[in-house]
Amino acid sequence: MYAFTFRRPETLRQAANLLSKNGDAKPLAGGHTLLPTMKLRLASPPELIDLSRIEGLEGIELTGRALTIGAMARHADVHGSPVVQQAIPVLAKLAGMIGDPAVRHMGTIGGSIANNDPSADYPAACLGLGATIVTNKRRIKADDFFTGMFSTALEPAEIITKVSFPIPKKAAYQKFRNQASRYALVGVFVAKRGGDIRVAVTGAGANGVFRIQSFEEALKKRFSPKSLEGMTIPADGMNSDIHGSAEYRAHLVGVLARRAVAEAVGK
Amino acid sequence: MCATGIGAAVRRKEDHRFITGKGHYTDDINQPGQAYAYFVRSPHAHATIKSIEAKEAARMPGVLGVLTGAELAADKIGNLICGWMIHSKDGSPMKMAPHPALASGKACFVGDPVAVVIAATLAQARDAAEKVKVDYAVLPAVTDPAQAQKSGVPQIHEVAPNNTIYQWHLGDAKAVESAFTSAKHVTKLDLVNNRLVPNAMEPRVAIGDYDTGSGTFTLWNTSQNPHVARLVIAAFVGMAPEHKLRVIAPDVGGGFGSKIFIYPEEVVALWAAKRVGRPVKWTAERSESFLCDAHGRDHVTHAEMAFDAEGRIVALRAKTVANLGAYMSTFSSAVPTYLYATLLSGQYEIPQIYCEVDAVYTNTGPVDAYRGAGRPEATFVVERLVEVGAREMGQDPAELRRKNFVKEFPHQTPVIMNYDTGDYNASLKRALEIADYKGFGRRKRESARNGKLRGVGFSTYIEACGIAPSAAVGSLGAGVGLWESAEVRVNPTGSVEVLTGCHAHGQGHETTFAQLVSDRLGIPIDNVSIIHGDTDKVQFGMGTYGSRSGAVGMSALVKALDKVEAKAKKVAAHMLEAAEGDIEFKDGKFSVAGTDKSAAWGEVALNAYIAHKFSGQELEPGLKEGAFYDPTNFTFPAGCHICEVEIDPETGNTEIAAWTAVDDFGVVVNPMIVEGQVHGGVAQGVGQALYEGAVYDKDGQLVTGSLLDYCMPRADHLPALNVATTVTKCPSNPLGIKGCGEAGAIAAPAAVINAITDAIGTEAIAMPATPQAVWAALKKAGRSLPHAA
Ligand SMILES: Cc1cc2nc3c(=O)[nH]c(=O)nc-3n(C[C@H](O)[C@H](O)[C@H](O)COP(=O)(O)OP(=O)(O)OC[C@H]3O[C@@H](n4cnc5c(N)ncnc54)[C@H](O)[C@@H]3O)c2cc1C
């Protein structure tokens, strides 16, 4: 780790100002991605703006038809929240599948989404549920937010404050873990809300999280695993590494999508 | 048996300190004025070092010195060595290339230390290390042992043409050839024994100190054998005469073999301490552990087994290429030879065996002994061949094994070993019962109904522990003897200190060695302490590896206790005014035969020291005895492991559904500790079979350089294990102990792969059998859905 200045603002405005002043400064949430990278000297922000003392970034609440989760809510908070468990049980379950207890007690939903790791779990939930990412400046649809591996629509000095999830009728997430890291080798999130059906995939795509239109169309006809029988996606555009070839990942997408739908419909 | 004696499941005395954070590991030690070392390591697998520019680094804040191979050579610091001589078939000695502690002229693997920065703080050392400019001319690299000897591949060391270290063989090639010619059935397999990264929980650490007043060096290090480290650093590296070097290996957090060896960083810490005039500490980062701790396994083998018409094994032959990495580590040469080919008879009566082993250099980290060392590789060859042979001949794998078991002892194999005792059928029979082998068909059908493939696999392994006697290992090329030492110091109050040449780094010696003393002297186990790991306190000893501490180390303790008892009887005779021959010792009490006169252990101890009851001319005061013990043979633990797996054919994911281990470790000193050793060993073996594999790309970069990409087995990867023991007493040591530390890691890989191949119906799968590999194997074999048979 290189030396850096540590700032602990108490308001969102102060945080945003600090970020504007120093273009290389970075917000610090749970630190479970940022700090390891800094320890390995792969990142060297001169200034860290700690978000943990800013009030109002942690709440979880149900308002009308949406579940809102503060950016600083820890994975363990989401996993253990009765509100989440009631409103969108699969989201609580997904949070419980992230990393290990130490990671879940530090890592935050805002940090995970801002980081947009191509194997992370939350991006699949955001895209799969059609969430809205709220920042100190604007509201961004998940469909517009994730713009590629480790990249998002966030502008400099833009801070995620919360994520708003519409409540689905049915939803499920199937995660096939990378055995070593336990991130998703492939994760498929399916959700149905009225006529809106979404199939979002993490882990597999060379460009990060993505939706599968062909699967969504098939499921619109009938929301059943049978609708996806025999359907595949091309290996082209899939990630490939020692843990999974593009072909294997593409195959898993099909398998997990069918299993997710089966789980969502309760089979 | 007393409550804390041999055979009792005594709780580990050392655990309180470990689990409450009160252990004293090397990194917990700090010396006044201590500086820190940070190594500049080669980012290239193979490169000429054209120049090293260190001026800027040397001017950085806090920097005390920047040292390179040039200074090392100028100070006449010698090379690291491999201490076991192997001769090739043609009689020529192995080709050991120079291994300087800092690369000189050329870097041979990614991580090869090229320079070191010593600074007042670690951060300063690290900052300065980034300013050391090394001008490399990158050379092409070779990482795959199967390619290393081909023409046109990069040559790594001048002394070793075709990157070949030795071409060794064992057995009678002609006799094997003729046995194969007349065989009824031949099973052939190509096997890769995957390369493993040890990953002890505690990374390696070295603190060097030089006392200008006395001219004495001290090295604190994470060593499994501090005396051997001192011997090598004194006699070969030439750092200091042996009596001017103290090596202290305090609490060590796991070794698994990787901390046997003498590493460059230890040499550099000592040398740099003298150079800069301050103690120097180096603590490995996990990334350095991945790159630079000696790895394990890495064999490529073609093996064949010949059977007669009745299914009796008539011969076995194997040709192995073993990767030793960029330099020969301390015991690397012995692992793929005398610890491997000598075990190729397994538990079977095999009349003829022939094995050829080529050891090669590659541009990868050094490879040496890792839990099991050679024996897991041998077991994998033998047990895969037997299992596949059974399948090919349509025989039950348990039955085929039984038919071929060695049944009479002692048994001389064609590959040096003389098995002393065993009852292989007993462990197989017991394992079949515990595993409910008869019910397997039902469970397989049940799995099929759930869309899963189920398989069962056996591994009836044998291993050799407590390598000895010294004369025998010497004749095979060992540079050292493999006896062990012990000293028993009885205090005037009767409490006892045992100094052992063994070293504990997870084994629980502080408990098991104390059990032996408690048992023998009839004193509470809390009155015994076990001291190890400091060359200034403990007499020369060989350390701990190869499951030797029980069989060899405790045997030395038995001998020392014999002498203590004999001396104590003399003291008691004076106290009780009786003839020495009439003194009996039992349950901590000395009594005169046929009388009610007696003296307690503590009274005798006190009298030995106050010496009021005898004259110093008749009997020396004091009660302290030492012993060196050299066994008469190796020990031969053996057993039967049965693994049942369930595979999801859609994803290729394998789950271990059940595990049965029935082992014969001879006499068991502490069943709880032994069970723990089996658990750990099996976990590591399952790790090798399903999860672990070091991968280098063709340029020699370690792709699996962190735990993000290198998968270690986790607790939830394993079911509850069914562990049992059968006992045949080992005749080659006084306690009848065989050793248990490596058995699980030796037995497990074959059991897992035999189970997986049974489930998927194809033999073509390599370790680690990851979900992707299993899925690909199923696909290739055209078998993707379970047969609801
Ligand atoms: C061992 C381990 C295992 C893991 N396993 C998984 C897993 O299985 N699945 C998974 O999805 N993740 C996993 N993670 C990642 C974990 O969930 C991280 O915590 C998460 O990705 C980042 O969240 P954080 O709060 O730690 O963010 P930080 O590390 O603090 O920040 C990450 C990045 O986001 C930026 N940032 C943080 N908060 C905001 C904000 N509110 N607005 C704008 N930018 C912001 C930071 O500047 C930084 O660039 C694992 C991590 C570890 C260490």
Side-chain angles (χ1 to χ4, degrees):
Chain A
M1 205 175 267
Y2 296 99
F4 59 89
T5 310
F6 183 72
R7 308 262 185 205
R8 193 169 252 180
E10 305 209 328
T11 68
L12 200 56
R13 183 184 294 261
Q14 283 171 1
N17 282 343
L18 287 166
L19 285 168
S20 308
K21 260 194 243 145
N22 186 343
D24 293 327
K26 286 246 175 215
L28 175 70
H32 264 54
T33 292
L34 188 51
L35 297 182
T37 342
M38 289 170 65
K39 278 184 166 174
L40 289 168
R41 299 192 158 193
L42 297 171
S44 49
E47 205 169 324
L48 286 191
I49 316 300
D50 179 17
L51 305 182
S52 67
R53 290 292 161 86
I54 300 171
E55 243 171 80
L57 287 185
E58 284 154 19
I60 296 175
E61 54 179 353
L62 189 61
T63 45
R65 293 242 193 95
L67 174 71
T68 305
I69 299 180
M72 287 298 285
R74 317 275 169 181
H75 308 329
D77 298 339
V78 175
H79 177 57
S81 158
V83 179
V84 182
Q85 285 165 5
Q86 186 75 42
I88 315 181
V90 59
L91 201 56
K93 193 173 149 200
L94 175 144
M97 291 175 168
I98 298 174
D100 51 51
V103 172
R104 292 196 289 274
H105 280 86
M106 286 305 289
T108 66
I109 187 169
S112 175
I113 292 169
N115 191 51
N116 193 17
D117 187 301
S119 306
D121 299 298
Y122 271 129
C126 292
L127 197 59
L129 289 166
T132 300
I133 287 89
V134 183
T135 74
N136 57 336
K137 298 183 176 163
R138 54 187 170 139
R139 299 170 66 86
I140 312 167
K141 293 250 166 262
D143 287 297
D144 304 323
F145 183 85
F146 302 105
T147 55
M149 191 183 277
F150 293 109
S151 91
T152 66
L154 287 175
E155 288 165 0
E158 190 167 15
I159 300 170
I160 301 174
T161 55
K162 55 191 174 192
V163 187
S164 172
F165 296 95
I167 313 289
K169 186 115 200 311
K170 290 173 178 162
Y173 179 59
Q174 284 279 326
K175 175 177 183 176
F176 192 82
R177 288 181 168 88
N178 170 319
Q179 298 192 105
S181 72
R182 296 211 165 177
Y183 276 75
L185 186 70
V186 177
V188 179
F189 199 106
V190 298
K192 173 178 163 62
R193 190 168 55 97
D196 187 19
I197 284 170
R198 288 168 167 259
V199 179
V201 178
T202 188
N207 268 319
V209 64
F210 67 97
R211 288 171 64 182
I212 316 173
Q213 224 174 355
S214 59
F215 284 24
E216 291 175 358
E217 292 306 323
L219 290 170
K220 270 181 195 155
K221 291 186 190 117
R222 190 175 154 219
F223 194 75
S224 151
K226 286 233 162 58
S227 310
L228 299 179
E229 208 74 52
M231 287 190 77
T232 53
I233 62 164
D236 248 19
M238 292 296 112
N239 212 349
S240 181
D241 57 26
I242 55 165
H243 307 287
S245 64
E247 195 197 3
Y248 179 55
R249 279 183 157 93
H251 163 79
L252 284 180
V253 169
V255 173
L256 299 178
R258 281 188 288 280
R259 289 183 183 183
V261 176
E263 189 188 327
V265 301
K267 270 188 199 155
Chain B
M1 176 178 102
C2 78
T4 55
I6 305 264
V10 179
R11 281 222 212 161
R12 291 176 23 128
K13 292 174 71 178
E14 46 274 79
D15 280 352
H16 185 266
R17 119 170 150 266
F18 292 146
I19 63 181
T20 56
K22 300 292 186 216
H24 279 278
Y25 296 92
T26 310
D27 194 49
D28 295 323
I29 294 167
N30 293 295
Q31 296 302 315
Q34 176 180 291
Y36 294 81
Y38 193 84
F39 284 87
V40 177
R41 298 183 182 278
S42 172
H44 308 292
H46 199 192
T48 308
I49 301 165
K50 287 175 22 195
S51 65
I52 302 176
E53 176 51 66
K55 280 208 195 79
E56 192 190 346
R59 282 197 299 267
M60 296 277 288
V63 173
L64 301 165
V66 183
L67 303 172
T68 68
E71 282 86 29
L72 192 80
D75 285 359
K76 300 204 163 49
I77 301 298
N79 290 326
L80 293 163
I81 52 126
C82 174
W84 194 305
M85 173 51 74
I86 298 294
H87 287 90
S88 284
K89 289 173 227 183
D90 65 7
S92 63
M94 65 188 189
K95 310 290 188 292
M96 181 164 67
H99 185 191
L102 291 173
S104 104
K106 196 164 129 162
C108 295
F109 71 102
V110 173
D112 206 351
V114 169
V116 65
V117 177
I118 315 296
T121 71
L122 179 58
Q124 288 171 332
R126 208 174 164 177
D127 286 345
E130 284 179 4
K131 304 289 184 205
V132 175
K133 297 204 174 54
V134 185
D135 188 8
Y136 294 102
V138 179
L139 301 166
V142 57
T143 58
D144 178 359
Q147 302 300 320
Q149 294 170 295
K150 299 208 165 132
S151 69
V153 303
Q155 298 293 296
I156 301 170
H157 297 292
E158 246 169 55
V159 298
N162 301 317
N163 299 318
T164 302
I165 298 168
Y166 53 72
Q167 295 189 293
W168 175 88
H169 70 161
L170 184 66
D172 184 340
K174 275 213 191 91
V176 166
E177 179 61 46
S178 79
F180 266 87
T181 322
S182 55
K184 180 79 197 315
H185 179 83
V186 175
T187 293
K188 301 180 182 184
L189 284 175
D190 285 299
L191 300 167
V192 172
N193 209 282
N194 46 324
R195 183 178 180 116
L196 304 176
V197 182
N199 271 314
M201 201 181 289
E202 178 207 29
R204 286 191 293 117
V205 184
I207 306 169
D209 192 11
Y210 180 68
D211 178 1
T212 46
S214 63
T216 309
F217 284 92
T218 304
L219 173 67
W220 289 264
N221 67 346
T222 47
S223 175
Q224 297 180 217
N225 44 351
H227 281 95
V228 179
R230 183 177 70 159
L231 176 63
V232 171
I233 295 172
F236 294 93
V237 176
M239 187 71 60
E242 216 174 345
H243 66 293
K244 294 280 189 189
L245 172 60
R246 177 181 184 185
V247 178
I248 304 171
D251 284 338
V252 172
F256 310 108
S258 71
K259 291 172 180 168
I260 299 172
F261 323 121
I262 293 84
Y263 286 95
E265 294 87 354
E266 302 168 13
V267 170
V268 169
L270 283 168
W271 169 62
K274 186 174 180 187
R275 272 239 168 193
V276 304
R278 285 167 68 164
V280 170
K281 181 186 223 175
W282 169 76
T283 302
E285 295 178 358
R286 182 61 59 182
S287 327
E288 289 180 297
S289 307
F290 267 98
L291 290 173
C292 305
D293 286 7
H295 292 178
R297 322 284 192 251
D298 210 348
H299 283 194
V300 179
T301 297
H302 176 78
E304 303 183 354
M305 188 175 262
F307 298 88
D308 70 11
E310 277 83 54
R312 278 182 213 289
I313 308 168
V314 293
L316 181 154
R317 65 182 163 204
K319 165 93 211 233
T320 294
V321 180
N323 189 357
L324 299 193
Y327 301 101
M328 292 185 76
S329 173
T330 318
F331 290 110
S332 57
S333 57
V335 178
T337 49
Y338 291 111
L339 296 180
Y340 165 65
T342 52
L343 275 304
L344 285 174
S345 196
Q347 296 187 355
Y348 313 109
E349 203 158 319
I350 306 182
Q352 295 298 343
I353 296 174
Y354 180 63
C355 181
E356 290 176 281
V357 179
D358 285 9
V360 298
Y361 285 117
T362 61
N363 296 112
T364 62
V367 180
D368 205 324
Y370 171 63
R371 201 173 193 170
R375 292 151 289 166
E377 295 91 315
T379 299
F380 194 64
V381 169
V382 177
E383 290 303 296
R384 284 291 290 133
L385 282 170
V386 171
E387 192 88 18
V388 175
R391 285 172 193 161
E392 288 174 350
M393 296 185 294
Q395 298 206 20
D396 179 84
E399 205 40 59
L400 185 69
R401 284 178 167 83
R402 193 180 348 250
K403 186 184 296 173
N404 284 285
F405 279 159
V406 170
K407 291 170 193 91
E408 278 166 33
F409 297 89
H411 171 79
Q412 179 62 50
T413 73
V415 278
I416 301 177
M417 295 302 186
N418 190 278
Y419 297 169
D420 49 11
T421 49
D423 186 346
Y424 307 143
N425 203 19
S427 44
L428 174 67
K429 186 162 170 280
R430 187 84 189 282
L432 290 172
E433 286 161 13
I434 295 174
D436 182 25
Y437 185 54
K438 286 205 188 91
F440 174 72
R442 179 175 39 77
R443 294 191 293 279
K444 189 175 171 77
R445 286 190 294 277
E446 219 166 275
S447 295
R449 273 195 293 280
N450 297 321
K452 301 279 173 63
L453 302 166
R454 202 177 186 94
V456 63
F458 292 83
S459 180
T460 49
Y461 74 97
I462 192 162
E463 59 153 328
C465 293
I467 312 177
S470 299
V473 295
S475 75
L476 303 180
V480 289
L482 286 164
W483 44 264
E484 197 44 80
S485 71
E487 187 179 310
V488 176
R489 293 184 187 166
V490 181
N491 296 318
T493 55
S495 65
V496 171
E497 281 143 28
V498 172
L499 296 96
T500 168
C502 293
H503 186 281
H505 29 278
Q507 292 85 350
H509 295 170
E510 286 170 50
T511 306
T512 50
F513 281 50
Q515 280 180 255
L516 170 55
V517 177
S518 170
D519 198 286
R520 178 70 184 268
L521 301 182
I523 61 174
I525 195 163
D526 287 335
N527 291 4
V528 185
S529 62
I530 309 298
I531 296 157
H532 63 84
D534 183 342
T535 59
D536 261 15
K537 289 185 187 163
V538 182
Q539 70 293 336
F540 201 99
M542 293 308 299
T544 288
Y545 37 81
S547 310
R548 67 190 301 275
S549 303
V552 193
M554 289 180 84
S555 297
L557 179 52
V558 168
K559 259 187 88 178
L561 287 167
D562 286 345
K563 293 185 192 173
V564 165
E565 186 183 318
K567 171 83 182 282
K569 275 182 173 162
K570 286 198 172 82
V571 176
H574 284 281
M575 287 168 65
L576 301 170
E577 294 168 338
E580 193 189 324
D582 290 339
I583 303 290
E584 288 169 352
F585 180 57
K586 205 168 164 260
D587 300 330
K589 214 164 82 179
F590 295 87
S591 48
V592 183
T595 74
D596 59 358
K597 289 205 286 184
S598 71
W601 166 256
E603 295 172 283
V604 174
L606 185 65
N607 270 281
Y609 284 93
I610 58 174
H612 294 171
K613 293 277 163 62
F614 53 88
S615 91
Q617 278 61 48
E618 284 173 282
L619 186 63
E620 282 180 31
L623 194 51
K624 185 199 88 158
E625 300 289 343
F628 286 71
Y629 176 79
D630 204 352
T632 55
N633 192 357
F634 290 60
T635 69
F636 297 97
C640 174
H641 286 220
I642 302 178
C643 166
E644 221 167 287
V645 297
E646 194 174 61
I647 292 171
D648 177 347
E650 281 196 315
T651 61
N653 192 52
T654 299
E655 249 181 58
I656 308 270
W659 196 280
T660 304
V662 180
D663 300 290
D664 178 357
F665 297 136
V667 171
V668 169
V669 177
N670 182 324
M672 180 194 68
I673 287 181
V674 166
E675 190 171 344
Q677 290 286 328
V678 173
H679 282 213
V682 168
Q684 272 174 302
V686 168
Q688 166 159 33
L690 293 181
Y691 308 112
E692 300 182 51
V695 177
Y696 283 93
D697 70 13
K698 64 174 189 354
D699 298 325
Q701 296 295 331
L702 183 60
V703 180
T704 51
S706 84
L707 293 165
L708 269 178
D709 288 305
Y710 186 91
C711 182
M712 295 294 289
R714 293 168 164 95
D716 68 348
H717 282 142
L718 294 162
L721 310 181
N722 299 308
V723 176
T725 52
T726 56
V727 178
T728 60
K729 243 179 120 171
C730 177
S732 64
N733 63 67
L735 290 165
I737 294 175
K738 295 186 180 181
C740 66
E742 296 157 293
I746 291 168
V752 175
I753 298 300
N754 284 339
I756 290 178
T757 50
D758 179 45
I760 66 179
T762 165
E763 305 298 341
I765 183 127
M767 297 191 289
T770 60
Q772 165 170 246
V774 171
W775 173 75
L778 275 167
K779 202 163 162 240
K780 201 164 162 211
R783 284 204 51 197
S784 53
L785 286 171
H787 308 270

